[in-house]
Amino acid sequence: MTGQLAAAEPYTTRWEAAVTAVDGRDVTLDTSYFYTESGGQPSDRGRIDNYDVVEVRREDGAVVHTLREPPGFGVGDTVLGAVDRTRRRYHMRAHTASHALYGAGRRLLDDLGYGGFDIASPSIEDGEVAPAPENGKVRIDFRTSTDVDDESLVEMERLVNRVVWEDREVSWTSIPLSEARERDEIAFNTKTEEGVFGSSDAVRIVTIGAPDGEDERWDVAACGGTHVRSTGEIGPVAVLDRSNPGEGLTRVEFSVGPPGITRLAAEKGAILDASAALGVPVEEVPDAVERLLSERDGLQDTVDGLQTRLVAAELDGAADEVVERDGHTWAVDVVDGVGPNDVRDPVREAVGDVADVVALAGRDGSTFVVVGSTGDPPAGEVVDDVGDEFGGGGGGSPSFAQGGGFDASPDEIVEYLRRE
């Protein structure tokens, strides 16, 4: 037998077995269909007689079941093993879905390699997989030179759900290792091959076949996990997002079953809300959003122009009230409705033409001041002087500086800087 008994017969979830060892809460049976964690698929949970199985692991080739409490049975007794069917079924569907997604990647991505896989065990409520979209996420890592963009994710989701609809046969068998290594279509991943090899010369292969009347199989991979018999059993798949866990890797996350249904419903609700808000059919939402963005950019350009004119007007007013301090001319005024970034360039341009020192004070959450100078006195020293008087802080170069957080109004700062 290559791999685990649970993987060979994944639909077996009830059986009788003889107890071969008991060590505290750890129990070993002569036959076990509990799956032990391997290759990214979590272990099964369930019961042995009336005792909850809280952990399953493999030791020296045997499956060891850790119970919640020490059992009342002993070596030689016959017990009933029972795998949690909801959890097992979910893992079978999710694991097969990862193969279907890799098959989609074969058709969309260049230089494809298998970089990893993981199922997050789902929360189960009242015997059902909880529908929360973040529940039981599955991820697969692709090694590829292709940039997996939003369009790629949409197409992956479409292809996977198409394969589900086609209800393709899923099969598993053992073949000689030498043959497997010679077949280019078989996906291997050294990080997740634990459980694949039963001996040095055999490997377990899982295949998603071709639809009736066709020859091209969807995916062929070395795998030791549990799977459904046909892709139609997977149910709806929702592709969630992508990330980059390492160089050359693209991680794609997806949901299967109730969490996937919840995600797809949320996305449908969001696009319908957008359609209603924009007053256009669903298929026209992208164009409508593009138009809004263009209009927003145009309005922003208008606002920027008005702000520039506003600052220029304030500088004109300051030019009419230039004061002299320590042999240098100062143009100082209050500016309203703009932030420090809006006045930086106008202040720089006014230095030397309007006065030796140009300073504008305003409020953008808190009071700020922007100072430009010919270098004498240095702009940074002017801002430091304001900070010493009113708190706050800032800094800059001899030609330009700014500060904020002052415990004073813009008018008070202007009055202070205009002092003779």
Side-chain angles (χ1 to χ4, degrees), residues 177-189:
L177 176 58
S178 57
E179 177 186 340
R181 292 297 189 187
E182 291 176 357
R183 289 171 55 181
D184 292 338
E185 79 274 19
I186 296 179
F188 277 92
N189 174 28

Side-chain angles (χ1 to χ4, degrees), residues 1-8 35-36 38 58 61 174 193-199 202-204 223-225:
M1 179 70 66
T2 302
Q4 302 190 40
L5 190 57
Y35 185 85
T36 61
S38 175
R58 186 169 290 273
S174 296
E193 285 175 4
E194 180 185 351
V196 171
F197 302 102
S199 63
V203 60
R204 185 173 186 265
C223 181

Side-chain angles (χ1 to χ4, degrees), residues 95-120:
H95 203 153
T96 310
S98 75
H99 286 242
L101 191 68
Y102 191 82
R106 290 176 185 266
R107 287 147 181 85
L108 298 174
L109 309 178
D110 296 327
D111 308 317
L112 184 62
Y114 195 46
F117 156 78
D118 183 72
I119 301 174

Side-chain angles (χ1 to χ4, degrees), residues 96 99-100 106 168-173 175 183 185-186 204-210 215-223 227-231:
T96 310
H99 286 242
R106 290 176 185 266
R168 298 188 181 209
E169 181 185 11
V170 181
S171 59
W172 44 91
T173 189
I175 65 174
R183 289 171 55 181
E185 79 274 19
I186 296 179
R204 185 173 186 265
I205 302 298
V206 175
T207 301
I208 297 179
D215 296 326
E216 184 183 12
R217 290 170 294 186
W218 186 255
D219 188 64
V220 185
C223 181
H227 296 277
V228 293
R229 294 191 184 99
S230 68
T231 57

